[in-house]
Amino acid sequence: MTKYSGSLLLQKKYKDVEPTLKIKEVDGLELVKKFSEEMESMLRRKVEAVERLVEAAEDADLNHEFNSSLAFDYYNSLLINEKDENDNYVELGDEFILEPNEHFNNLLVNTTYSDVQLPTNVYNKDPGILNGVYMSEALNPIFVDNFQRDPTLTWQYFGSSTGFFRLYPGIKWMPDENGVISFDCRNRGWYIQAATSPKDIIIVVDISGSMKGLLMTIAKHTIITILDTLGENDFVNIIAYNDYVHYVEPCFKGILVQADRDNREHFKQLVDELQAKGVGTVNKAVLESFKILREFREAGQGGLCNQAIMLITDGAVEDYESVFEKYNWPDRKVRVFTYLIGREVTFAQNVKWIACNNKGYYTQISTLADVQENVMEYLHVLSRPMVINHDHDIIWTEAYMDSALFASQAQSLLLMTTVAMPVFSKKNETRSHGILLGVVGSDVPLRELLKLAPRYKYREGKKLKPKPNYNSVDLSEVEWEDQDEILRTAMINGETGYLAMDVKVPVDKGKRVLFLTNDYFFTDISGTPFSLGVVLSRGHGEYILLGNTSVEEGLHDLLQPDLTLANEWIYCITDIDPDHRKLSQLEAMIRFLTGEEPDLECDEDLVQEVLFDAVVTAPMEAYWTALALNMSDKTEQEVETAFLGTRAGLMRSLLYVGSEKLSNRQFLTLGDKESIFTMDHFPLWYRRAAEHPPGSFIYSITSEEGSGNPRLSTTEKEGDGENKRVTHIDPTASRQNGLVSPVESLGTLSLTFLSSLSPFITLSVQTGKFFGEVDGSVMTQLLNMGMFRQVTMYDYQAMCKMPYHHHSGARPLLSPIYTFLAAVKWLITLCLSVPQSSFLTSSLFAIAAHKHKKHDMLQPCDTEYPVFVYETTIKETNGLIECGDCQKMFVAQQIANSNLLLLVTDATCDCSIFPPVLLEAKEVKYILLLSQLKCDRMRSQKLRRRPDTCHAFHPEVQ
């Protein structure tokens, strides 16, 4: 490995230039403040773009007179470019030019015009829709102008209170498999947060016997729709009543809980199980609701703004006036919204009286199709105080996962935040009505923020892998060593400071763990609700190596064919000028250095690091080439490739065999992200090697299905045995320069090797399996003797199979049409990810619903999983294991300058009485004695940053 990696040559080259080197210690606080200022500037530009859209939309409405007979053709995103049987464009579906655009993930878009999307249950030629769409045409030139001013802008849009959604750039919107478009902009978090202030909501639902059948179905759908209008700043509970008062979640008795995604989905499952029986007694339920809201208001808990009760019933016959008189009058701090379910009007006046005498709104819901629009009315009521005051609050959503086209097209998920502002009617004649026209917004992918915090300047902390239902993650679930929540509290309070913690960082999909001491530096981002943290790992993460290299010398070595750069890194800004967008980062850097593109803006510190690394590592290409030319046939079967990487994202590699002979052609390519430098992580082989002593080799063997790392592949050949590939990585030179020089070999291994960070077996037919799975007896003995120790890790964002008795209410009915279509064409796509439970399975598949069982559905859960760590102080050991009818002997010895152990065992003794030692993740079951622990965790109200403003009431609003 020393020979074929060239590690000694590389060490010598660094030693030769050592007198000219400077090692600079990174100032974490200075770094985080600099990043914060750059992010503030970038985010401010997004706010300015949204403000221009608000002004244009309100002016357009002011100058528009409603025309009930307006005839107007517009670009409907579902119908564009569609033709009828006569080859004519269908109505609202004229020709709309779409071209792939790299800035928008190579999706087909129209950057000169927006188009309009509507949910299936909104009539696309309704007069209100036509007038709104016509008025909002004025936004088109603003969309284009915003994009020209700030080419880093992504999606810009206007979500109307009537239900249409104008999106720029224009796209072709695709329906789901049932031909339905369920996306409704008014249910999106950015719309809800911009349209209303924080709210405490208690949903009170009648489950008496009279609510059986269709009425209960409509009531459940109404509850689910209300839940969909709640966001992270809202608090909620649900009370069902008949003869008694029932909390649908007994754990939440007497409190409100944050309306985050997990709680909303949990409520939906419970609501789906409600059954109608008994006699309805509304007084006790309303009384209980008022008590909860008053206690939270007086304790300074909950949303600290709007409070409301949502009463869902088919009638009210009691004497309920005394309850309101005692608990809500005369101040009427709690609004009461009533929803009369069914066509019966006998009790309509009673239900309407409750709403109108408590600053609420009354509506009757007769069918499933009525639910969406009627529920939305309460948002208009809550928005009126803000609208009348014309308070244009700027809101930023929490980070959330969304497809770039809101699931309208299949593509990878993006982590993003949205900036949004409400749009009001400024007409004098309707000012007192407080008319909310809609909300404008723009998405900011968090990758745009990452570009302002280059990876090479700091060491990454834990990398969070999003799960299928990922929404947002609390900091305490990522940095869970911060048990006293010192870091979390400081960042929520917008403080600037520093904290050190010893952490365990899972790598290689949880199969291994790194023990690090991390320094956390944090500050706020002015003008936003965000805080920023930067993590520096002690040791190599705290220093930067500065070399002195001329442009001429560096350019020569940059142009060598064996050299590549991390193309996701921002060496030069190429996404602003359209002429630069087709340049790779290496091409852009070369044009910058040669003066061909004087307008290019490049990171000069990073460019200087690349030039230095290019010069120092240049001799490796000649060294590797000479070896390749002089290889014998036998050697050629053993070594495939050599490669190196530096902290500046530079890589060199050389194949010792033809590409057709590679056992893994994905390695070091975009097809294997874990093996290359990306925006959010260094290669796995780099991270592991950086934590090992210089001069030692790191041997990496992974499973056949692999995890995207240097992987052990198995191929067949004549005769006994197999060829297996092992990656050997040497942390060359000093820990400060962070350079590793790996080589891969292909050869036959006849003995068992164990990796010191996590034991893996390399027996001929079980390559890549965890050793404890193959031989539980020896693994158990090694654990008992202290050669390995078990570390328990936790995943607070895991997905587990849903218990069989649960019913999913997560996807509400859009309309009776949807129900019918779903019954005719029932196909569900399920994304299953098992990141910790097995080394051999991680799959994505689709299944037909008729083969799908309820207990296969996934839901969020907490899991724990073991990782086994080698104690390096134990160099060798041996022992005898009593296996019943025989004794099994084993000897284990550390192989010097590596992370390998040589293990020799007696294969003739059957020791299967010992169970295997497995790495499967197990759900943390909060049952029996632990049920209270789960309840306490669900009820806990963590410190959180609240919105700065509240618009609960206005004197002009009755």
Side-chain angles (χ1 to χ4, degrees):
M1 293 306 103
T2 301
K3 174 181 178 181
Y4 287 104
S5 68
S7 58
L8 294 181
L9 172 62
L10 200 53
Q11 284 178 323
K12 180 179 182 302
K13 291 302 177 184
Y14 273 96
K15 194 72 176 176
D16 291 345
V17 297
E18 188 174 337
T20 67
L21 298 181
K22 292 181 181 179
I23 295 177
K24 178 185 176 183
E25 186 171 359
V26 178
D27 186 329
L29 278 176
E30 179 185 336
L31 195 66
V32 76
K33 288 177 182 177
K34 178 177 179 291
F35 291 162
S36 173
E37 290 171 359
E38 293 175 351
M39 290 179 183
E40 177 192 352
S41 176
M42 187 270 276
L43 295 176
R44 181 62 215 168
R45 293 197 299 272
K46 314 306 178 196
V47 171
E48 291 169 353
V50 168
E51 289 173 335
R52 285 191 286 270
L53 290 171
V54 169
E55 183 179 4
E58 292 184 347
D59 287 345
D61 175 72
L62 183 62
N63 297 318
H64 174 72
E65 290 294 331
F66 186 87
N67 180 357
S68 59
S69 59
L70 176 67
F72 172 64
D73 287 335
Y74 60 92
Y75 289 116
N76 184 301
S77 61
L78 176 67
L79 301 174
I80 54 172
N81 299 327
E82 296 289 330
K83 293 186 177 181
D84 57 23
E85 61 275 9
N86 298 321
D87 202 35
N88 298 317
Y89 288 108
V90 300
E91 191 176 19
L92 303 182
D94 206 351
E95 181 182 11
F96 194 74
I97 297 173
L98 297 170
E99 297 176 331
N101 190 300
E102 185 178 358
H103 185 64
F104 294 93
N105 299 325
N106 286 315
L107 293 171
L108 296 173
V109 300
N110 185 320
T111 55
T112 62
Y113 220 75
S114 64
D115 59 4
V116 174
Q117 174 270 341
L118 298 99
T120 299
N121 65 332
V122 175
Y123 178 43
N124 59 26
K125 299 197 78 174
D126 178 90
I129 294 294
L130 287 177
N131 276 267
V133 171
Y134 180 81
M135 176 273 293
S136 65
E137 286 282 302
L139 296 180
N140 276 309
I142 312 301
F143 286 141
V144 175
D145 182 60
N146 280 343
F147 190 42
Q148 290 174 346
R149 292 189 191 202
D150 180 6
T152 66
L153 276 174
T154 56
W155 306 100
Q156 304 174 66
Y157 38 83
F158 170 64
S160 168
S161 61
T162 58
F164 75 83
F165 180 64
R166 181 177 288 278
L167 176 66
Y168 174 87
I171 61 160
K172 172 73 173 176
W173 204 284
M174 305 302 292
D176 66 14
E177 66 272 16
N178 296 308
V180 172
I181 292 183
S182 58
F183 175 87
D184 190 323
C185 62
R186 297 168 296 179
N187 284 339
R188 307 302 290 180
W190 51 266
Y191 186 99
I192 294 164
Q193 286 180 237
T196 63
S197 296
K199 46 196 174 291
D200 297 337
I201 299 289
I202 295 184
I203 303 172
V204 179
V205 58
D206 183 351
I207 57 168
S208 62
S210 62
M211 289 285 288
K212 283 184 179 179
L214 179 61
L215 297 187
M216 180 54 68
T217 301
I218 295 173
K220 289 179 179 180
H221 187 31
T222 302
I223 297 172
I224 289 170
T225 305
I226 293 172
L227 289 172
D228 284 337
T229 66
L230 304 181
E232 299 276 325
N233 294 325
D234 304 320
F235 288 77
V236 66
N237 205 338
I238 302 177
I239 294 176
Y241 71 91
N242 42 29
D243 306 85
Y244 305 96
V245 172
H246 312 269
Y247 285 87
V248 296
E249 171 52 81
C251 175
F252 296 159
K253 182 178 181 180
I255 66 167
L256 297 168
V257 295
Q258 187 180 4
D260 58 24
R261 182 180 180 124
D262 284 350
N263 284 336
R264 295 198 307 268
E265 295 302 315
H266 183 60
F267 275 130
K268 289 177 183 179
Q269 293 173 12
L270 297 172
V271 165
D272 197 42
E273 297 174 353
L274 291 176
Q275 295 181 352
K277 59 184 177 181
V279 179
T281 309
V282 69
N283 273 9
K284 292 180 181 179
V286 173
L287 177 64
E288 183 77 3
S289 301
F290 277 123
K291 286 181 177 179
I292 296 172
L293 293 171
R294 183 181 64 185
E295 289 172 5
F296 260 62
R297 184 171 64 243
E298 293 176 350
Q301 295 180 300
L304 300 182
C305 193
N306 290 292
Q307 290 194 322
I309 295 171
M310 324 295 273
L311 177 59
I312 302 170
T313 181
D314 64 343
V317 296
E318 301 168 65
D319 180 16
Y320 34 74
E321 183 174 342
S322 60
V323 175
F324 300 116
E325 185 175 359
K326 181 177 180 180
Y327 288 96
N328 204 37
W329 297 350
D331 295 336
R332 292 174 171 82
K333 292 182 179 179
V334 178
R335 297 181 187 271
V336 181
F337 296 88
T338 55
Y339 302 89
L340 182 63
I341 305 299
R343 299 183 184 277
E344 181 60 53
V345 295
T346 305
F347 303 107
Q349 281 303 118
N350 295 359
V351 178
K352 183 176 182 180
W353 182 94
I354 292 174
C356 294
N357 283 276
N358 290 278
K359 293 190 174 182
Y361 190 88
Y362 158 81
T363 185
Q364 184 168 6
I365 303 178
S366 304
T367 68
L368 284 169
D370 297 336
V371 172
Q372 180 75 26
E373 295 304 317
N374 283 302
V375 165
M376 286 297 164
E377 292 294 340
Y378 97 89
L379 291 177
H380 297 161
V381 174
L382 293 186
S383 69
R384 282 174 190 161
M386 175 180 63
V387 177
I388 293 174
N389 281 334
H390 278 235
D391 292 319
H392 288 95
D393 294 340
I394 300 166
I395 70 99
W396 291 91
T397 66
E398 74 279 2
Y400 63 97
M401 291 300 263
D402 207 352
S403 73
L405 292 185
F406 317 99
S408 72
Q409 299 203 17
Q411 66 163 46
S412 61
L413 292 173
L414 299 173
L415 190 61
M416 64 177 64
T417 181
T418 294
V419 56
M421 290 178 67
V423 179
F424 311 136
S425 172
K426 297 195 296 186
K427 295 177 179 178
N428 289 330
E429 60 271 24
T430 59
R431 181 182 178 278
S432 62
H433 298 171
I435 297 176
L436 175 73
L437 299 176
V439 173
V440 296
S442 180
D443 291 340
V444 183
L446 294 197
R447 66 185 181 191
E448 295 297 323
L449 296 177
L450 284 176
K451 291 177 181 179
L452 302 177
R455 178 66 59 193
Y456 78 98
K457 290 189 175 180
Y458 64 99
R459 175 74 176 172
E460 72 240 47
K462 297 181 182 177
K463 185 185 175 211
L464 178 72
K465 179 179 173 121
K467 301 302 188 297
N469 78 330
Y470 176 86
N471 187 45
S472 62
V473 178
D474 194 280
L475 183 62
S476 62
E477 295 183 349
V478 181
E479 302 295 345
W480 42 268
E481 291 89 352
D482 182 26
Q483 295 185 1
D484 295 328
E485 298 194 350
I486 297 173
L487 177 64
R488 182 183 185 278
T489 301
M491 294 188 72
I492 283 177
N493 291 334
E495 298 174 11
T496 297
Y498 152 82
L499 178 70
M501 280 195 296
D502 293 325
V503 298
K504 298 187 286 285
V505 180
V507 295
D508 199 3
K509 294 198 172 180
K511 289 181 282 188
R512 297 179 171 85
V513 62
L514 302 179
F515 296 87
L516 304 174
T517 298
N518 282 346
D519 291 326
Y520 295 80
F521 302 90
F522 48 87
T523 190
D524 70 325
I525 303 177
S526 297
T528 77
F530 302 127
S531 286
L532 173 67
V534 166
V535 184
L536 299 178
S537 293
R538 293 276 175 91
H540 56 84
E542 295 180 302
Y543 302 96
I544 292 179
L545 195 65
L546 302 175
N548 187 16
T549 304
S550 69
V551 172
E552 293 75 17
E553 187 180 14
L555 263 177
H556 175 269
D557 293 321
L558 267 180
L559 295 170
Q560 301 306 310
D562 68 319
L563 183 146
T564 59
L565 293 180
N567 208 43
E568 289 188 12
W569 287 21
I570 309 300
Y571 299 88
C572 299
I573 298 175
T574 59
D575 60 352
I576 293 182
D577 188 331
D579 293 335
H580 297 158
R581 287 179 183 161
K582 294 182 180 180
L583 297 177
S584 69
Q585 285 295 314
L586 181 56
E587 291 169 341
M589 185 186 299
I590 291 172
R591 294 194 181 195
F592 169 73
L593 292 170
T594 58
E596 291 181 51
E597 295 283 352
D599 294 335
L600 269 171
E601 184 180 341
C602 298
D603 185 330
E604 295 188 13
D605 290 341
L606 182 54
V607 170
Q608 186 60 38
E609 281 196 55
V610 169
L611 291 177
F612 172 75
D613 289 343
V615 171
V616 175
T617 62
M620 301 301 295
E621 193 254 348
Y623 176 87
W624 291 334
T625 301
L627 285 178
L629 293 174
N630 292 290
M631 271 187 168
S632 64
D633 290 342
K634 180 181 178 182
T635 304
E636 189 174 337
Q637 295 177 4
E638 295 176 349
V639 182
E640 286 190 359
T641 184
F643 53 98
L644 63 84
T646 77
R647 190 160 77 171
L650 177 147
M651 287 185 61
R652 290 186 184 275
S653 63
L654 182 131
L655 296 181
Y656 286 126
V657 298
S659 59
E660 73 282 356
K661 296 183 179 179
L662 288 174
S663 55
N664 178 8
R665 298 180 188 180
Q666 298 267 310
F667 186 57
L668 301 183
T669 71
L670 290 174
D672 185 358
K673 289 265 189 176
E674 284 292 316
S675 69
I676 62 174
F677 292 90
T678 67
M679 183 181 292
D680 62 355
H681 70 250
F682 281 50
L684 176 61
W685 49 264
Y686 186 105
R687 284 179 281 168
R688 291 190 61 205
E691 300 305 324
H692 278 257
S696 62
F697 285 98
I698 311 303
Y699 294 75
S700 179
I701 306 170
T702 64
S703 63
E704 284 88 346
E705 275 117 16
S707 57
N709 310 309
R711 123 182 10 177
L712 175 69
S713 299
T714 303
T715 57
E716 295 184 359
K717 70 170 189 176
E718 294 182 3
D720 296 331
E722 294 175 319
N723 290 333
K724 300 174 180 60
R725 191 187 68 154
V726 188
T727 301
H728 315 271
I729 306 176
D730 173 29
T732 305
S734 70
R735 289 171 67 86
Q736 279 75 30
N737 67 36
L739 183 142
V740 291
S741 174
V743 64
E744 296 186 356
S745 72
L746 190 68
T748 300
L749 303 177
S750 56
L751 296 174
T752 299
F753 286 91
L754 297 181
S755 161
S756 65
L757 279 186
S758 190
F760 285 81
I761 191 166
T762 59
L763 295 172
S764 58
V765 295
Q766 294 167 323
T767 299
K769 283 190 176 181
F770 174 63
F771 179 65
E773 182 182 342
V774 177
D775 194 331
S777 63
V778 176
M779 188 66 212
T780 300
Q781 193 69 8
L782 291 175
L783 284 166
N784 293 337
M785 299 171 74
M787 189 163 231
F788 283 88
R789 63 185 172 93
Q790 179 176 327
V791 176
T792 300
M793 303 291 286
Y794 296 92
D795 184 355
Y796 294 117
Q797 291 292 313
M799 296 296 292
C800 299
K801 287 183 179 179
M802 187 183 299
Y804 180 75
H805 66 275
H806 277 187
H807 305 284
S808 175
R811 187 176 188 180
L813 298 175
L814 179 68
S815 66
I817 299 174
Y818 197 109
T819 311
F820 172 75
L821 290 173
V824 175
K825 190 178 181 184
W826 191 18
L827 184 66
I828 297 174
T829 300
L830 175 67
C831 177
L832 176 64
S833 176
V834 193
Q836 264 78 6
S837 63
S838 170
F839 287 8
L840 304 179
T841 59
S842 179
S843 58
L844 178 69
F845 59 91
I847 57 175
H850 67 274
K851 296 180 181 178
H852 177 67
K853 296 181 180 179
K854 287 181 180 176
H855 60 266
D856 290 331
M857 294 293 290
L858 299 178
Q859 65 180 6
C861 64
D862 298 343
T863 60
E864 62 179 20
Y865 59 97
V867 177
F868 297 93
V869 181
Y870 173 59
E871 294 290 353
T872 56
T873 55
I874 302 178
K875 305 297 183 185
E876 60 181 277
T877 189
N878 61 76
L880 284 174
I881 305 172
E882 294 292 339
C883 301
D885 297 334
C886 60
Q887 291 182 321
K888 187 169 190 174
M889 180 195 72
F890 69 90
V891 178
Q893 182 172 336
Q894 186 183 102
I895 297 178
N897 298 319
S898 79
N899 64 327
L900 296 182
L901 296 176
L902 173 62
L903 176 66
V904 180
T905 67
D906 178 2
T908 61
C909 178
D910 180 6
C911 218
S912 56
I913 61 171
F914 283 83
V917 179
L918 301 177
L919 292 171
E920 293 180 350
K922 297 179 180 179
E923 182 178 0
V924 180
K925 295 281 189 180
Y926 301 102
I927 56 176
L928 300 176
L929 295 177
L930 294 179
S931 61
Q932 188 60 42
L933 176 62
K934 179 183 179 182
C935 182
D936 290 344
R937 183 169 181 234
M938 293 171 70
R939 290 172 62 98
S940 65
Q941 304 286 336
K942 287 182 175 292
L943 175 69
R944 53 191 300 274
R945 186 176 295 183
R946 301 177 184 276
D948 296 328
T949 58
C950 168
H951 308 281
F953 295 100
H954 190 280
E956 297 181 25
V957 179
Q958 299 301 317

